[in-house]
Amino acid sequence: MEQYEPEHLSPAQLAAMRRSLTTGRGALTRRSMLRASGMGALALGGLGTLSACGIPPAKREGDAAAASDDHSAKEKQISFSNWTEYMDVSEDEKGRPTLEAFTKRTGIKVKYTEDINDNVEFFGKIKPQLAAGQNTGRDLVCVTDWLAARMIRLGWAQKLDPANLPHAFANLASQFRTPDWDPGRAYSYPWTGIPAVIAYNSKATGGRKVDSVTQLLDDPKLKGRVSFLSEMRDSVGMTLLDMGKDPGTFTDADFDAAIGRLQKGVDKKQIRRFTGNDYTADLSKGDLAACIGWAGDIIQLQADNPDIKFSIPAAGYITSSDNLLVPAKARHKTNAEKLIDYYYEPSVAAQLAAYINYVCPVDGVRDELAKIDESMAANTLILPDKEMASKSRAFRSLSSKEETAYEEKFAKLIGA
């Protein structure tokens, strides 16, 4: 029996959603970082209202409710929904070179729509059709890992055909191959990776490197000039790693220990505040000496301020992802799979990475990206080297009960 999310959000969950949409991931543009946290999907009635309204989820892939007739052979088209500024554009900003090249090669026309502003809003658009077992009008969507997980769990994504994905299967970077919500990538492929790392202003630190959460929490020279993120998964996940715990398998006791460690940082005023993306101005000015920050922000800050540095803790770092899925009842599944596979060709992936500046999940891109921009090819925030990639960790999927309890504890910690 499918387990639904609770119909009503706790005050802590509502607060987490508001933080994400106003100063956190949901407030950031495509060129500056992520978006809405996992609680966002529940804001519009969530999955809990499905049981309240008596609407069943689609059945698992392979059942008639989840599958659809594929019209790809006769209808050479795809409808692709994506985030804004998440696709390469021509210099005059009137064309999309990689999409146009795909159409020229295959004859498949792509209706490309930037209609995802955050996961919350987009889920509200497609939920009624998915719940009713209807076509959403979209053949391919790009959603953040927590929403991808829910769509797969509810049978609202179609299982992909490996025969149509030779490049994707061969070139998917190892750090993205086995998320706990889609082992082996049977239903999804990542569009980009989004790391949370340590950022610091070398001028504000007196030239000293900051490279661990222990240093952020305990170094007296940083007291009052440290910030953590108001996104629970990033701040707690980084703290768990520093404590020697795996964010992919931690227990309730581990979570409580991480919260306790952060609480000590608050009590002794080591931590100045918990922030959304508003840490960037303070870090650039030197009011903050060091923080947990998002890689996309750091790349942009470095373009204007050479004092901005980043480090990857020896203990590891947290990476989220945005993912491509084919919704249940989509009419052009094979065409969509061909487009996914196309973006896993290294030359194409390099063109995309050069424009959007996020972690590229495609192996074999470095030489192709160097032809476009050598500095980007050398930037490990875009193309992690083997050492950095080996330290990437994902925060495990949470049950509804866990999410409620964890958000309440985190809200108390940050005073939300």
Side-chain angles (χ1 to χ4, degrees), residues 93-372:
E93 299 189 354
K94 294 182 179 179
R96 302 190 182 279
T98 57
L99 286 178
E100 291 164 3
F102 173 79
T103 297
K104 184 176 181 180
R105 180 198 297 184
T106 64
I108 299 170
K109 295 182 178 179
V110 182
K111 178 186 177 183
Y112 183 74
T113 307
E114 294 182 332
D115 60 345
I116 307 180
N117 296 308
D118 62 67
N119 288 294
V120 179
E121 181 183 50
F122 185 67
F123 187 68
K125 291 179 182 178
I126 64 176
K127 179 167 68 76
Q129 293 98 323
L130 291 170
Q134 299 172 352
N135 179 15
T136 66
R138 299 165 176 84
D139 302 300
L140 192 64
V141 300
C142 182
V143 295
T144 306
D145 41 21
W146 65 266
L147 181 52
R150 287 178 178 170
M151 289 179 64
I152 292 168
R153 188 176 72 246
L154 289 170
W156 291 351
Q158 296 194 53
K159 193 171 185 179
L160 302 174
D161 184 352
N164 294 327
L165 297 158
H167 295 99
F169 181 81
N171 296 332
L172 176 61
S174 59
Q175 74 179 93
F176 295 101
R177 284 188 176 269
T178 56
D180 66 352
W181 46 269
D182 187 17
R185 292 289 182 178
Y187 293 86
S188 67
Y189 270 89
W191 184 248
T192 56
I194 305 164
V197 299
I198 292 178
Y200 62 98
N201 185 317
S202 60
K203 186 176 181 179
T205 64
R208 294 183 306 118
K209 185 177 182 179
V210 180
D211 59 5
S212 72
V213 170
T214 293
Q215 197 173 353
L216 291 176
L217 290 174
D218 297 334
D219 187 341
K221 294 182 179 179
L222 299 177
K223 184 174 181 179
R225 298 188 296 154
V226 169
S227 71
F228 279 69
L229 291 167
S230 58
E231 294 287 351
M232 181 263 290
R233 288 166 176 80
D234 294 319
S235 288
V236 174
M238 292 288 282
T239 304
L240 284 166
L241 283 167
D242 193 69
M243 297 168 63
K245 303 296 183 179
D246 185 350
T249 60
F250 68 89
T251 64
D252 287 348
D254 295 333
F255 183 89
D256 289 346
I259 290 291
R261 188 155 185 234
L262 288 167
Q263 185 65 59
K264 289 181 181 178
V266 172
D267 293 343
K268 66 182 182 181
K269 302 189 184 305
Q270 180 78 9
I271 298 174
R272 181 170 179 170
R273 61 194 178 105
F274 290 82
T275 74
N277 65 319
D278 48 332
Y279 67 87
T280 55
D282 286 344
L283 183 64
S284 188
K285 290 186 296 184
D287 292 342
L288 284 175
C291 64
I292 302 295
W294 289 306
D297 289 338
I298 297 164
I299 291 173
Q300 293 177 61
L301 289 175
Q302 288 179 326
D304 299 319
N305 187 342
D307 294 326
I308 301 302
K309 312 291 184 183
F310 78 93
S311 64
I312 303 300
Y317 65 101
I318 297 292
T319 300
S320 306
S321 59
D322 281 337
N323 307 274
L324 300 172
L325 294 90
V326 178
K329 295 295 182 178
R331 287 178 61 90
H332 309 106
K333 177 175 177 283
T334 298
N335 290 345
E337 290 167 338
K338 289 179 179 179
L339 185 61
I340 294 172
D341 196 61
Y342 170 74
Y343 278 102
Y344 273 79
E345 296 179 20
S347 61
V348 179
Q351 293 180 64
L352 181 67
Y355 181 78
I356 64 176
N357 298 168
Y358 287 77
V359 169
C360 180
V362 183
D363 276 342
V365 168
R366 193 172 308 278
D367 289 345
E368 295 293 335
L369 186 55
K371 296 175 185 177
I372 302 171

